[in-house]
Amino acid sequence: MVEDEKLPPFEQSLAAILLSAKEAVIAPMRTKLRDFDITEPQWRVLRVINDRGTTDATDLAEVALLHAPSVTRILRELEARALIVRTADPDDRRRSTIALSPAGAQIVTAVSAHVAAMMRVYSTRFGATRLDGLAAELRALCAAIDEE
């Protein structure tokens, strides 16, 4: 055991608390995702495409917080299920753009309604102001950590 710098027990560490919070937020969504046979990373990709409109794999990886090889695999799976449409970029044939198909858009609509309802519950239980403040503080924490 490392004694030089006294670390709190794991369950009291910032990493553990953030993981616990992520799990608390995401867990109620899993049932709805399972209804559509969608994984959490696939949901993030569908959601980003919905939010941004037609995009490319590089932007998807960055915004959805996924590694590029994972995005490549996810896009292949979503395309096989006809949930996205890939089109070759006319200016750069090596690049493709990705958009939601009508079936993909239907899934996003259905899951989004569930997520919005969950967010209303979280806002009621935790307080809208506190929830907004927490989100702002977490964004500030990320920005401070990213400073180098």
Side-chain angles (χ1 to χ4, degrees):
M1 184 166 113
V2 177
E3 290 289 335
D4 293 348
E5 289 189 48
K6 192 76 168 160
L7 293 175
F10 177 74
E11 62 273 10
Q12 294 174 15
S13 71
L14 180 59
I17 293 166
L18 290 171
L19 287 169
S20 178
K22 176 193 177 269
E23 184 60 25
V25 169
I26 298 295
M29 186 188 318
R30 287 198 182 102
T31 302
K32 185 56 81 175
L33 293 176
R34 275 194 296 273
D35 289 348
F36 292 98
D37 194 27
I38 298 291
T39 66
E40 292 169 41
Q42 288 171 340
W43 166 247
R44 291 186 348 224
V45 166
L46 291 171
R47 172 92 191 269
V48 169
I49 297 169
N50 184 70
D51 292 350
R52 296 175 82 79
T54 301
T55 189
D56 66 17
T58 302
D59 282 346
L60 276 173
E62 184 178 322
V63 177
L65 305 171
L66 294 164
H67 296 291
S70 295
V71 169
T72 300
R73 178 184 45 76
I74 290 166
L75 291 175
R76 198 171 34 247
E77 293 165 356
L78 295 175
E79 187 174 31
R81 292 180 56 194
L83 300 179
I84 61 161
V85 177
R86 275 200 244 210
T87 308
D89 185 329
D91 298 327
D92 182 352
R93 302 298 280 172
R94 296 168 297 171
R95 180 179 175 265
S96 62
T97 58
I98 299 114
L100 287 179
S101 70
Q106 283 182 321
I107 288 174
V108 170
T109 298
V111 175
S112 292
H114 180 72
V115 171
M118 289 173 17
M119 291 307 298
R120 285 190 299 276
V121 170
Y122 299 162
S123 184
T124 299
R125 289 181 183 170
F126 191 68
T129 302
R130 287 178 69 199
L131 195 57
D132 289 344
L134 175 62
E137 287 297 316
L138 291 171
R139 283 190 294 275
L141 174 63
C142 290
I145 290 170
D146 286 343
E147 287 179 6
E148 289 188 26

